[in-house]
Amino acid sequence: MGQVKEIFEGFKNLVFPDEEVEALAEQRLKICFECPVRTDNKCDRDKSLNRIKGCGCWLSAKTRSVGSNCPLKKW
């Protein structure tokens, strides 16, 4: 899925919640909240872990984009 479509999907699912997507987002956010690359609600582009940088996305939307993946391959 293209990055623009992923961003749109994430924000659409944030505005129009779906039970299954919310369950997926909850699982993903649990992982993100423990990640050292995270800063507040963002996958921080300026931090890196094992030379892989964060993507810079807002986690509230990124975790709701079913077609998206963690840049660190944690989900």
Side-chain angles (χ1 to χ4, degrees):
M1 184 180 286
Q3 187 175 12
V4 173
K5 287 183 181 181
E6 290 176 4
I7 293 167
F8 178 76
E9 178 191 24
F11 280 105
K12 176 188 72 81
N13 289 333
L14 184 61
V15 174
F16 303 106
D18 173 88
E19 196 173 305
E20 290 180 29
V21 174
E22 290 301 305
L24 176 65
E26 186 177 329
Q27 292 173 339
R28 289 176 169 184
L29 282 169
K30 284 180 185 177
I31 295 167
C32 293
F33 285 144
E34 296 179 8
C35 184
V37 176
R38 177 189 63 86
T39 301
D40 298 322
N41 184 35
K42 228 174 171 185
C43 184
D44 200 335
R45 188 180 298 257
D46 295 329
K47 291 183 180 178
S48 64
L49 184 65
N50 297 330
R51 299 184 188 170
I52 301 172
K53 292 187 178 245
C55 59
C57 292
W58 293 101
L59 296 173
S60 54
K62 173 97 176 191
T63 57
R64 286 172 173 84
S65 174
V66 179
S68 291
N69 296 303
C70 168
L72 301 175
K73 303 199 185 335
K74 293 185 176 199
W75 48 261

